[in-house]
Amino acid sequence: MLEILVGIISGIVSGGGMGGGTILILSLSMFMGVEQHIAQATNLVFFIPTSIVAIIVNVKNKLIDYKVAIPVAISGVIGAVIGAIYASKIDVKNLKKYFGIFLAIIAVMEIYSLLKKYIFDKNSNNKIIKK
């Protein structure tokens, strides 16, 4: 049952274009006891059908800029091959550490962008931000 719940949540996040794989990897490795290498490989298999569905919906809604998407997709495939080879050679303990650092960097970037937008929106409305 937990597997189904994790799949649904990850699928919803992936469909929204926000990287549901991160949630999937965390759920598999932290809550379900799956080894990090296996969790990451499972994420890659999970990614294929969810990506296909998201692509179909976005093509139908004419939301894809092919001039950007094609070079990014080709580069992504090359990067995925390099990353998979590299990740398979890293010790599980270090792989978890690197994944955690990656998540922390993403979190900091997201918080920064939200704060920047919030402060910009406040200043653009000519309101004074009090401390």
Side-chain angles (χ1 to χ4, degrees):
M1 185 66 173
L2 182 60
E3 294 89 351
I4 294 170
L5 182 62
V6 167
I8 289 172
I9 293 169
S10 297
I12 291 169
V13 174
S14 288
M18 295 181 276
T22 303
I23 292 169
L24 183 63
I25 293 170
L26 281 174
S27 299
L28 289 174
S29 63
M30 291 181 68
F31 304 118
M32 298 175 71
V34 175
E35 181 195 305
Q36 187 76 15
H37 286 101
I38 295 171
Q40 288 184 211
T42 302
N43 173 57
L44 295 175
V45 172
F46 166 84
F47 183 75
I48 295 167
T50 57
S51 296
I52 291 169
V53 171
I55 289 168
I56 291 168
V57 170
N58 285 305
V59 165
K60 183 179 175 182
N61 292 324
K62 298 179 181 167
L63 296 173
I64 296 177
D65 181 349
Y66 291 99
K67 290 179 183 177
V68 174
I70 291 171
V72 170
I74 292 168
S75 302
V77 168
I78 293 167
V81 170
I82 294 168
I85 292 168
Y86 181 69
S88 68
K89 297 177 190 246
I90 298 175
D91 177 57
V92 173
K93 189 174 181 180
N94 287 332
L95 188 59
K96 281 186 174 190
K97 188 185 310 181
Y98 300 147
F99 187 67
I101 291 168
F102 170 74
L103 291 179
I105 290 169
I106 296 298
V108 168
M109 289 173 59
E110 286 296 318
I111 291 168
Y112 174 75
S113 68
L114 286 172
L115 288 174
K116 185 177 174 184
K117 182 179 178 183
Y118 176 75
I119 291 170
F120 177 75
D121 286 348
K122 284 283 195 175
N123 288 336
S124 67
N125 291 330
N126 294 323
K127 294 181 181 177
I128 299 172
I129 299 174
K130 297 181 181 180
K131 292 184 180 183

